[in-house]
Amino acid sequence: MPEMQPAEALATCEQALRSLIASVLAKKLGKDWISQVFPEERAVKIRAIRSERSSR
């Protein structure tokens, strides 16, 4: 298995943790868990970031 550079390993780990957290919260709180966890202003920003990332 090839070794990753530290920055790449950290980015991969961070993305895996984000995915895990989102999955667990969606299972526990429902698909729109963001609106239950964050104030609406912050939830709007998070949704915009997620939308931008998914369009890449």
Side-chain angles (χ1 to χ4, degrees):
M1 176 187 302
E3 290 186 29
M4 289 187 201
Q5 294 297 316
E8 182 183 5
L10 184 58
T12 301
C13 182
E14 179 182 1
Q15 187 56 44
L17 285 171
R18 287 177 190 264
S19 181
L20 174 64
I21 291 167
S23 177
V24 169
L25 288 172
K27 186 174 181 179
K28 183 171 178 85
L29 301 175
K31 193 169 187 166
D32 191 32
W33 61 268
I34 291 174
S35 65
Q36 295 180 43
V37 175
F38 296 100
E40 187 57 30
E41 183 179 307
R42 183 70 178 140
V44 168
K45 289 180 183 179
I46 292 169
R47 287 187 195 103
I49 291 168
R50 292 174 104 195
S51 176
E52 180 184 318
R53 285 185 182 162
S54 68
S55 67
R56 288 183 189 171

